Amino acid sequence: MDLDILKVKSLSKAFGKLQAVDRVSFTVQPGVVKSVIGPNGAGKTTLFNLITGYLRADTGEITFKGMNITNLPPHELNRKGLARSFQIVNIFPRFTVFENVQAAVISRMGKSSSIVTSAKNVGREEAFQILDRVGLSEQAGYIAGTLSHGDQRIMEIAIALGGRPELLLLDEPTAGMAPEETYATVALIKRLVSEFGLSILVVEHDMDVVFSISETIVVLHQGGMLAQGKPEEVRQNEMVQRVYLGEEITREKGQ
Amino acid sequence: MILGLAVIVVLPFVVGISWVLLVTELAILVLYAMAYNLTMGVTGMLSFGHGGLFGAGAYILVIAMIKGDIAMPYALLAAPILTALITFVIGWLCVRLTGIYFAILTLAFGQLIWATIWKMRTITGGDDGLTGLQIPSVMASPTNQYFCILAIVMLAVLSIKIIVDSPFGFTLKTIRENQTRAQCIGINVKRYQLLAFTASGLFTGLAGALFAILMRGAFVEFATVARAFEPLFAGILGGMHVFWGPAFGAGMLLSLDTFIGAYTEYWPLVAGGTLILLVLFLPEGIIGRIASIRKARAQRLNQSSA
């Protein structure tokens, strides 16, 4: 019996001479938030793209719910229950907010090839439930591209939820957000775990966010693993402080 | 809707034969434009190969009837189905590429069909074409032909409408809007692109076959690249992201051709000029613009009442 929902074993990826991800191993337990941090260029996004099938790994193995998912294409990973959001807003901008989520719900229901009914009401209820959950039901009828940046990012999470994932990968979910939006997103992430039992893997820059949501943290540096552990352990790790956290923690707040 | 049907029914009894033929041609071009739009407007794939597919549909019908002595109803079934098969094979090779590379490869295949028709004289008649198509007597008069073709076109357009409005059609639109995103909500993008392209080929083949019936033969001009641009222009004129946009555009193109063409042989200049103006000032197309004005108004009302 495999208790970990995600298991990354000795994963490596090089771009030419640059070793972007170097023998990274960690696990994600069900129902917790795990964060991946590290300075710019540490290989966080590459790691994400490897796990979600956008890049092929050179070596190593990724296991999801006990299945080997290394190098499966993105759409198959999504069907297995692994959803992601992107660092740069990635939505259907000309669809309404409702349609954005509905698209994901229809796909998950396996109705994408159905041509006998009208799409209008397919998955409607579930899409509205999700919008309710993330607090976007008021904006359901708006064109998605006209939402504020923060709302678009939350809508991305809503799209991911349409696939009823067990594991959610969020790539900098609070990037570019105003403080109150960040606060709302943090609350949402906590709620997704506590109320809906999701497991979440997050790449995040904002250290306050990382320390307030994470059960465990993985620190990457130049592609390799620098440290891993509970937030307090990571905070006190000398190496981490030296290469990364030092500058972040001593940095002036509010800039 | 009912008014439209009434106009269609009454029309052949109040206007002359040349008008009846013109409207019949229009119906076929509307079908062609909407078939093409399944690829371009709905799924967001630019294809230059549809001229070849249109020609294939026409030639399959005519060859089946003249050389194979097959009755028209069967030939009319075979043409779209075989065209869809051809489209499937072409599509299977093309969807590996995206954007302009996809477009160029479809252009190559379209040209391949055109060249095949041109060179295989014994079967296709080469640049003489295949003439002397015998139409069953029930369909021979312009009025009867008008009703038959319009009925088939309406049925086909209704099918396209059902496809576009279905979850399948919605899935195609998600691919058009954002391929990466579509992928990571679990959609096998290439597979759906291939399905859309094939469906588009099916209806394009039907339009070609109907056109051959109207022209009483098939000619190599049916399969040229210029043919492939017609439905693209229609989509740009009318708007390819609204269902009736390409139909409206096809109507505009034929009107420009017929009425301005009657005054001057430089009508393509007028058509080209119109196109440039539209692309610059009305990129959504005419029907598309009307639709988005309506949508914006609805959203404003929505917001002010909320």
Side-chain angles (χ1 to χ4, degrees):
Chain A
M1 195 56 208
D2 208 333
L3 284 177
D4 301 316
I5 188 156
L6 184 79
K7 207 177 205 166
V8 174
K9 219 166 86 190
S10 197
L11 198 64
S12 294
K13 173 77 185 175
F15 299 109
K17 282 193 173 159
L18 175 74
Q19 193 65 42
V21 171
D22 189 10
R23 283 163 294 158
V24 169
S25 302
F26 63 90
T27 59
V28 179
Q29 283 82 42
V32 302
V33 178
K34 181 156 205 146
S35 295
V36 178
I37 62 172
N40 281 332
K44 300 173 304 243
T45 295
T46 306
L47 177 67
F48 249 51
N49 286 336
L50 287 171
I51 297 173
T52 50
Y54 281 85
L55 289 173
R56 296 186 69 85
D58 295 337
T59 55
E61 191 179 86
I62 309 163
T63 332
F64 176 60
K65 294 192 292 183
M67 299 173 283
N68 184 354
I69 57 157
T70 322
N71 296 336
L72 282 186
H75 65 95
E76 278 183 35
L77 291 173
N78 182 273
R79 297 210 165 277
K80 293 194 189 301
L82 191 149
R84 75 171 290 180
S85 74
F86 290 82
Q87 191 171 1
I88 294 157
V89 171
N90 199 338
I91 57 171
F92 304 111
R94 289 187 293 193
F95 281 2
T96 63
V97 172
F98 164 70
E99 285 168 337
N100 266 272
V101 180
Q102 189 199 17
V105 173
I106 287 179
S107 170
R108 195 217 69 243
M109 291 167 86
K111 294 224 164 144
S112 298
S113 330
S114 159
I115 52 169
V116 281
T117 48
S118 159
K120 228 176 205 160
N121 293 314
V122 181
R124 189 178 191 87
E125 235 170 88
E126 188 176 334
F128 268 107
Q129 268 172 11
I130 293 170
L131 288 174
D132 246 354
R133 226 196 248 182
V134 302
L136 278 180
S137 45
E138 297 256 305
Q139 287 99 313
Y142 291 10
I143 300 299
T146 64
L147 292 185
S148 72
H149 177 74
D151 281 349
Q152 289 191 15
R153 302 229 60 162
I154 287 181
M155 195 186 70
E156 272 212 81
I157 296 178
I159 296 174
L161 292 177
R164 283 201 198 149
E166 289 171 65
L167 176 66
L168 199 56
L169 284 90
L170 305 175
D171 197 352
E172 300 203 16
T174 67
M177 279 190 173
E180 62 270 24
E181 290 173 332
T182 301
Y183 181 75
T185 305
V186 166
L188 174 64
I189 292 172
K190 284 181 174 169
R191 219 153 45 80
L192 290 176
V193 173
S194 64
E195 287 178 34
F196 305 101
L198 278 175
S199 316
I200 300 181
L201 183 65
V202 185
V203 163
E204 183 56 66
H205 260 307
D206 186 325
M207 284 303 124
D208 292 337
V209 171
V210 168
F211 285 115
S212 83
I213 61 174
S214 313
E215 174 103 1
T216 49
I217 296 172
V218 176
V219 189
L220 294 186
H221 181 54
Q222 292 173 351
M225 304 247 312
L226 192 67
Q228 125 156 272
K230 303 226 170 278
E232 267 322 297
E233 298 164 11
V234 167
R235 211 197 281 266
Q236 263 135 41
N237 185 309
E238 254 178 57
M239 281 207 300
V240 175
Q241 284 178 359
R242 203 160 46 223
V243 305
Y244 182 52
L245 285 177
E247 48 175 320
E248 283 288 323
I249 284 172
T250 53
R251 199 182 64 181
E252 286 287 323
K253 273 274 155 101
Q255 61 178 4
Chain B
M1 181 81 182
I2 292 163
L3 188 76
L5 273 179
V7 170
I8 287 171
V9 171
V10 174
L11 191 83
F13 302 107
V14 293
V15 297
I17 284 179
S18 63
W19 274 92
V20 172
L21 290 173
L22 189 70
V23 176
T24 312
E25 188 182 349
L26 172 64
I28 297 169
L29 295 181
V30 163
L31 174 59
Y32 180 29
M34 303 198 94
Y36 178 80
N37 205 52
L38 273 177
T39 301
M40 176 70 217
V42 178
T43 321
M45 300 187 286
L46 176 60
S47 162
F48 294 139
H50 274 62
L53 301 175
F54 186 86
Y59 271 91
I60 290 166
L61 176 113
V62 175
I63 291 170
M65 286 179 70
I66 292 182
K67 310 250 164 175
D69 234 358
I70 292 167
M72 200 177 81
Y74 299 112
L76 203 47
L77 268 179
I81 291 171
L82 289 179
T83 310
L85 276 177
I86 296 170
T87 317
F88 181 84
V89 174
I90 295 175
W92 188 76
L93 293 163
C94 292
V95 295
R96 287 141 211 277
L97 306 180
T98 48
I100 195 69
Y101 303 102
F102 171 85
I104 296 300
L105 201 53
T106 59
L107 174 70
F109 279 109
Q111 288 297 83
L112 191 67
I113 294 177
W114 171 81
T116 307
I117 292 170
W118 196 48
K119 288 290 177 194
M120 289 179 68
R121 294 194 64 94
T122 45
I123 299 172
T124 61
D127 47 7
D128 295 332
L130 287 172
T131 51
L133 191 67
Q134 293 296 317
I135 301 297
S137 50
V138 277
M139 251 185 89
S141 85
T143 308
N144 288 1
Q145 171 179 270
Y146 165 89
F147 281 121
C148 287
I149 289 182
L150 250 74
I152 294 169
V153 166
M154 283 199 284
L155 223 62
V157 169
L158 184 70
S159 311
I160 296 175
K161 172 87 176 139
I162 289 172
I163 290 174
V164 170
D165 287 344
S166 72
F168 174 68
F170 185 55
T171 302
L172 299 183
K173 288 178 214 161
T174 62
I175 292 170
R176 171 191 78 202
E177 291 297 311
N178 188 340
Q179 275 194 36
T180 329
R181 218 348 163 183
Q183 231 173 19
C184 72
I185 58 171
I187 294 167
N188 186 341
V189 169
K190 300 281 168 222
R191 187 170 150 241
Y192 280 92
Q193 285 180 327
L194 178 57
L195 287 172
F197 194 58
T198 306
S200 175
L202 181 88
F203 291 109
T204 302
L206 178 62
L210 293 174
F211 199 64
I213 291 173
L214 179 68
M215 295 300 167
R216 300 288 191 270
F219 305 93
V220 72
E221 290 82 23
F222 288 10
T224 53
V225 190
R227 276 270 156 213
F229 284 115
E230 275 174 26
L232 176 61
F233 288 169
I236 293 170
L237 287 172
M240 48 199 169
H241 294 168
V242 275
F243 186 75
W244 296 108
F248 181 84
M252 262 184 82
L253 265 187
L254 189 64
S255 314
L256 284 174
D257 185 1
T258 309
F259 303 119
I260 299 175
Y263 289 108
T264 161
E265 55 188 294
Y266 296 116
W267 90 265
L269 208 65
V270 180
T274 316
L275 201 69
I276 291 170
L277 287 177
L278 273 169
V279 170
L280 284 177
F281 299 108
L282 222 55
E284 305 163 277
I286 293 168
I287 300 290
R289 183 74 209 138
I290 294 169
S292 65
I293 290 171
R294 271 201 198 153
K295 211 183 251 174
R297 190 174 298 156
Q299 184 155 3
R300 255 205 317 279
L301 282 176
N302 225 331
Q303 269 161 319
S304 60
S305 71

